[in-house]
Amino acid sequence: MRIKEGFLISRYITIALLFCFIIFQSSCRSRKSFVYFQGDMKTDAVEPYSQLIRANDLLSIQVSSSNPELSIPFNPYSSLSGNQPAGYLNGIASPLGYLVNPSGEINFPYLGKIKVSDRTREEITAELQESLAKYLSEPIVYIRILNFKVTVLGDVGNPGTFNIPNEKISFLEAVGLAGDLNNSALRDNILLIRTTQGKTETFRIDLTKQNIFTSNTYYLQQGDIIYVEANSAQRNAASINNRLSIVISVVTLAITTLTLLIK
């Protein structure tokens, strides 16, 4: 009689484990949900890229001319002037530069305050070269954004904030920089947060489609934040895995106890 009861209990336990396994498998996603840019690849042009200078940008502005000595006063943050780095970017020493104030201005040697926000580097460069022509022969101006960065958070391989030296990075490059999306990541509803002129905009991006290539979100702007959410199936699977671990532990204990009782 005891053996028969043990057999029935073992059978119920097996059914319970099979049921848990079926639930776990049902949470698995189809291969199609993992594929980027589905369909025939198109050759539509990417939206033109134009990076605008904004408040709180840290600018490096280097001036050169046919007479290098005369250019020195216009390069207060250059190593030629003996003014060494004192700022930091992600824990790494970085050169000082012109910090764009909340009004969108910088204070440039001899020229005074210059409006730079909401303008491209090309526009600012042209203005500076024209103004510096009063002091220098054939002035050349080179401008960089020292603190250009983007942030990738959520279900990716290597989340974090990344400094971008060349000030130009696409959405896909940023995802790659963050170690790509994890298998559990939601690929068709990625959130992009962008702040422009004090206003925050949000965009939803579907990487299973190709319209990212013709979107104004293809190239990232300074300070953009990407958030990748885990898919609901994965969240459910995580919950099921936790419960399954508990069930397996309980079942293992029950089988062990039952075996000892039968003996």
Side-chain angles (χ1 to χ4, degrees):
M1 182 68 177
R2 182 173 294 180
I3 295 175
K4 185 176 180 180
E5 290 178 353
F7 174 77
L8 290 175
I9 293 175
S10 298
R11 185 176 180 182
Y12 292 144
I13 291 173
T14 302
I15 293 174
L17 288 174
L18 181 61
F19 178 72
C20 291
F21 177 77
I22 292 173
I23 293 177
F24 175 76
Q25 287 296 103
S26 66
S27 67
C28 295
R29 302 163 67 196
S30 66
R31 177 183 176 277
K32 187 175 181 180
S33 61
F34 290 94
V35 178
Y36 297 157
F37 324 129
Q38 296 173 28
D40 296 332
M41 206 65 183
K42 300 177 182 179
T43 57
D44 295 334
V46 175
E47 286 288 321
Y49 176 80
S50 59
Q51 177 64 46
L52 299 180
I53 304 300
R54 304 185 306 183
N56 298 317
D57 281 352
L58 184 64
L59 304 181
S60 168
I61 302 178
Q62 300 296 321
V63 177
S64 63
S65 67
S66 57
N67 189 333
E69 292 184 359
L70 293 179
S71 303
I72 292 177
F74 299 97
N75 293 292
Y77 301 122
S78 170
S79 58
L80 295 176
S81 67
N83 194 341
Q84 297 301 315
Y88 286 85
L89 283 175
N90 282 3
I92 302 174
S94 62
L96 286 171
Y98 297 90
L99 182 63
V100 182
N101 66 25
S103 299
E105 299 172 327
I106 60 171
N107 196 6
F108 198 81
Y110 294 92
L111 301 183
K113 291 184 178 180
I114 298 175
K115 180 75 172 180
V116 296
S117 65
D118 302 324
R119 302 176 66 188
T120 65
R121 288 187 304 172
E122 291 75 16
E123 292 171 341
I124 302 169
T125 297
E127 179 182 337
L128 287 176
Q129 289 182 166
E130 182 179 352
S131 299
L132 289 171
K134 302 174 184 177
Y135 307 93
L136 302 172
S137 175
E138 300 178 354
I140 297 175
V141 176
Y142 179 68
I143 301 176
R144 286 184 57 215
I145 302 175
L146 296 176
N147 62 341
F148 190 101
K149 61 185 181 296
V150 297
T151 300
V152 185
L153 303 174
D155 202 7
V156 295
N158 180 34
T161 298
F162 305 94
N163 291 318
I164 312 301
N166 62 356
E167 309 162 32
K168 183 176 182 180
I169 185 171
S170 70
F171 186 94
L172 302 178
E173 289 172 326
V175 169
L177 196 61
D180 201 1
L181 307 184
N182 293 330
N183 288 340
S184 55
L186 195 64
R187 284 161 167 72
D188 59 359
N189 195 25
I190 300 173
L191 176 65
L192 173 64
I193 303 171
R194 173 174 293 168
T195 302
T196 306
Q197 298 180 354
K199 296 182 180 180
T200 299
E201 296 179 278
T202 58
F203 305 86
R204 291 288 177 175
I205 296 168
D206 184 353
L207 285 185
T208 66
K209 297 181 180 179
Q210 298 178 25
N211 54 9
I212 178 67
F213 295 104
T214 55
S215 168
N216 62 352
T217 60
Y218 180 76
Y219 283 114
L220 298 182
Q221 301 288 329
Q222 153 76 312
D224 278 359
I225 300 173
I226 298 171
Y227 174 67
V228 181
E229 184 181 355
N231 65 80
S232 58
Q234 181 64 23
R235 293 196 300 269
N236 294 337
S239 176
I240 291 172
N241 285 342
N242 292 334
R243 295 176 185 176
L244 188 58
S245 297
I246 296 174
V247 170
I248 291 175
S249 299
V250 172
V251 169
T252 301
L253 178 61
I255 292 175
T256 303
T257 304
L258 181 61
T259 302
L260 293 175
L261 290 175
I262 293 176
K263 290 182 178 181

